[in-house]
Amino acid sequence: MPVLLAPDQAPALHELLEQANVAGLDCKPADSDDKPEPRIRGLGSLSSAGPSEISFLSNPKLHGQLLECRAAAVIMTEAAFQALPEGDYPYRIVLCSQPYLMYALLAQWFDQHRLRGLERGIHPSAVIAPSAVIGEGVSIGPLCVVEEGVSIGKGSRLGPGCIVGANSRIGSDCLLHARVTLYHGVKIGDRAILHSGCVLGADGFGFAPDPRADTGAWAKIAQIGGVSIGNDVEIGANTTVDRGALEDTVLGNGVKLDNQIMIGHNVRVGDHTAMAACVGVAGSTVIGARCTIAGAAMLSGHLVLGDDVHVSGGTAITSSIAKPGRYTGVYPFAEHTLWQRNAAVLAQLAQLRRRLKALETTKS
Amino acid sequence: MPVLLAPDQAPALHELLEQANVAGLDCKPADSDDKPEPRIRGLGSLSSAGPSEISFLSNPKLHGQLLECRAAAVIMTEAAFQALPEGDYPYRIVLCSQPYLMYALLAQWFDQHRLRGLERGIHPSAVIAPSAVIGEGVSIGPLCVVEEGVSIGKGSRLGPGCIVGANSRIGSDCLLHARVTLYHGVKIGDRAILHSGCVLGADGFGFAPDPRADTGAWAKIAQIGGVSIGNDVEIGANTTVDRGALEDTVLGNGVKLDNQIMIGHNVRVGDHTAMAACVGVAGSTVIGARCTIAGAAMLSGHLVLGDDVHVSGGTAITSSIAKPGRYTGVYPFAEHTLWQRNAAVLAQLAQLRRRLKALETTKS
Amino acid sequence: MPVLLAPDQAPALHELLEQANVAGLDCKPADSDDKPEPRIRGLGSLSSAGPSEISFLSNPKLHGQLLECRAAAVIMTEAAFQALPEGDYPYRIVLCSQPYLMYALLAQWFDQHRLRGLERGIHPSAVIAPSAVIGEGVSIGPLCVVEEGVSIGKGSRLGPGCIVGANSRIGSDCLLHARVTLYHGVKIGDRAILHSGCVLGADGFGFAPDPRADTGAWAKIAQIGGVSIGNDVEIGANTTVDRGALEDTVLGNGVKLDNQIMIGHNVRVGDHTAMAACVGVAGSTVIGARCTIAGAAMLSGHLVLGDDVHVSGGTAITSSIAKPGRYTGVYPFAEHTLWQRNAAVLAQLAQLRRRLKALETTKS
């Protein structure tokens, strides 16, 4: 953790665990541990955490790092604790059934601590339409623009330079980082996290051939649908979610989108589906719940993917998938000359198959 | 259509058709139709349009939906009308030779209606250089920056937070949505539509090795060309068009670019060529007129693509293409284990070919 | 060069060469040249440079263009000069051991000339926290936001609409073009060039499964690391570099990133490595020094690439690479029907290999 809390702001270990553990995990210091209770100034990995930081073991392969760890406290499972050789470790041991989830909660606690330190309120340089309805405790940063008919639910924060288009609706306790752009008519549920540069509600890409204008000319199909986003959604930096042609583009509850993802118009994404960076989903495709789409995968338009479909990175999905499972289509890389030699054969595959068939026939 | 017009703003059917049909299509209510004329509050698909909306049939496969459609009016071809079983349909029938194009025009009408309702004028928070030349009826939103020497043609609108760099030139009747960025020396024709987050005129990626500075170090090749864009161009959200190294990067008339496209320096794109989202075109490539490049395709640098070339989604174009047609190069996806088994053979293809050849030789 | 200097601002040839040649290249007008010294208003390619522009020959294949070139002066190697047929060329000849590097320096000179003409100072519309430390000669454009605890080194310029998050640190002589976004805790060295729309320090994409909340639900792993960037780094338009989960994401000295690149959390990139547009690097991958990653390549997470590794465009790197060299994995494109025929065989490759093996066995 590059910046540690000042010592007078650092909580005692038990305070930190109580405050962070909103999920009610089974998590407490090991009984056998009689070291004095440390104050915790930060959170770090096993190999980097210093003597005022808490750490965690979630990946069993890193168990050996427990021997050298210099942290103030380490979260681990009962099993990891039992496997620890006897010895004098400098850290307090915290037993937890789900160390990785507990790590997530601790990181949230430290980030919330930082956020609580920020000024709140509505900055005088923000340009806010008189008809906008701003909930209690809302924070609007410098140089934001909030247009007519917008509503922003209680406790939401807009970083500097956000733009909220006319008649858009933001739920409560949302966090819009600097420079988020919502077009008009974009609806966002509660507790959304939107990152800088994301654009929600730009026009979908729709054109009708208009040969009267010129050979090959296109007439714009104005996009008069909107965007509708559930609760607990996170959208990464410079990701774009286009508005629907006639109806809304829809992201379900708990959807997580990384950076530089493109969601085309009319797409529907089911609850808790997560997509890694650089994914593209073309128009009108419907994706089920609890899917994962790995980085730089591409989905063609007008497909239907069922629930629990997992797409590997860099894979082009060009037809619908009903069956849960993992799907892949990536050209394996190799040293360039080796690739070159083998790739040249790709243009003859059908012919090779025929030749093989011919040999088989003559043989029999 | 998520938001309907207020009833007192809704045009009568014939008014709507007259006002929308700027293309002069053959389009009129069916003579045999004696239903009272409805007022039209919105536009929807056959399956979703309600009793105050107009709809259309452009895809013959959806003809069956005409039986259940609850719209106020439906646009269809004479042939679709003739194929409609006798019955008492709740909608007025509008005959049109090109229902899809008419749909585009109707959607434009509704979007224009919304735009006409917006405030116009130059917002006092915009920072505009004294030397900028602003045409009649231009709208400049809050917190825009217009630098020295810029000219903006009549009737153009800039949404909130746009930045127009020094000596750039925007034609008339352009629509820049919120937060469009033009560097200096970017020229844009008339009727452009630019979406949020797009960046025109950033430096092309050019470096000369500079071993004097350090092993492997690069000297920047400053990019002193510009960007030149024709009329009727649309550019999607977060798309980037780099400035040329010495001359301009050029987009022709009627070019349509979707979101998150990258156009490298010195690229030239011919009239009416359309590219779907996430396409990348590397530097100095020249693309003809009326091409279509589907989503996430990638074009290497210094290529020449002729007119009427169509590139499939996810395809890497690594050499020039003179002949019109459709070109593809996508690894077909499969269930992961099946893919794994077959992909492993790719590294042996050249060897397999040799072995096959050997068998053929011994046989003969 | 789309815009030429006014004649009274154009330097004489020897002045330009002296001022531009900061690298101390061996570069001087050919002795045998007794033409009057021109004033140089611009820089152009051999085929486009006019009689007030300087040009250069770096690619030997273009030697023939010297015969028709109308430039005021041309930079070339001694060898190119010797190979030039006798004749009366309109241009002065400048001999240089590295014409391409000299071209880079000349382009820099012209761009610096433009930059020097811009207003400097801190625009009154910028919102700057009282605790920010602003170095000597710093320029901050209109509508920037500089938050608490920021420091900006001497001579750096921020274009309009930049946002610098709390406690971030920008070195000296940096150039941030319009609308660059830094989150809190982002450190940037000296002489950086950051392009519009780039976002440094957004949250990495990290989630822990949280089945207590809902089947398939995710708990956010707040990202409490930062971003740390060396000297002489350039980052392209709409590129994103995420902050680390616990430690910093790191770009070394001299790293060059093109547009729309995605660098995931915890990634480390070695000195002088360059990446072309649309590259994605997933979390925790470590890339060595002096690598080049061509456009739209994708690197999976948790890999290690050594120094001097060169990845071809569109290639998916899915495992670590220790050995320097060039690596490729691209599906070769073809006319669509040809591709279709051959691609269909990919799903049977393992089977084809077995059949071939069977034939070989029976034959022997």
Side-chain angles (χ1 to χ4, degrees), chain A residues 1-2 24 48 108 114 179 195-196 234 238 259-260 272 333-336 339 346-347 349-350 353 360, chain C residues 161 163 181 183-184 197 212 214 218 220 238 240 242 246-248 260-261 323 326 328 330 342 348 355:
Chain A
M1 184 170 171
S48 73
Q108 287 180 19
R114 181 186 61 80
R179 212 185 290 301
H195 284 280
S196 296
E234 182 158 353
N238 286 351
N259 295 0
Q260 298 200 40
H272 306 307
F333 78 95
E335 284 191 62
H336 184 73
W339 165 80
L346 278 179
L349 273 188
R353 184 172 53 178
E360 289 170 331
Chain C
I163 294 177
T181 303
Y183 277 55
H184 61 280
R212 292 170 187 236
D214 190 4
W218 301 100
K220 179 176 177 68
N238 287 351
T240 54
D242 275 357
L246 291 167
E247 303 301 315
D248 285 355
Q260 299 200 39
I261 288 171
K323 193 179 147 198
R326 184 176 173 200
T328 306
V330 179
N342 289 307
Q348 313 167 347
R355 283 161 57 188

Side-chain angles (χ1 to χ4, degrees), chain C residues 44-62:
Chain C
S45 65
L46 288 175
S47 61
S48 73
S52 60
E53 291 174 89
I54 189 168
S55 190
F56 62 95
L57 173 73
S58 60
N59 179 351
K61 289 186 197 160
L62 303 181

Side-chain angles (χ1 to χ4, degrees), chain B residues 161 163 181 183-184 197 212 214 218 220 238 240 242 246-248 260-261 323 326 328 330 342 348 355, chain C residues 1-2 24 48 108 114 179 195-196 234 238 259-260 272 333-336 339 346-347 349-350 353 360:
Chain B
I163 294 176
T181 304
Y183 277 55
H184 61 279
R212 291 168 188 239
D214 191 3
W218 302 100
K220 178 176 178 69
N238 286 351
T240 56
D242 275 357
L246 291 166
E247 303 301 315
D248 285 355
Q260 298 200 40
I261 287 172
K323 192 177 147 200
R326 185 176 173 200
T328 306
V330 178
N342 289 306
Q348 313 168 347
R355 284 161 57 189
Chain C
M1 184 169 171
S48 73
Q108 287 179 20
R114 181 186 60 79
R179 210 186 291 301
H195 284 281
S196 296
E234 181 159 353
N238 287 351
N259 296 359
Q260 299 200 39
H272 306 306
F333 78 94
E335 286 191 62
H336 183 73
W339 165 79
L346 278 178
L349 273 187
R353 183 170 55 178
E360 289 171 332

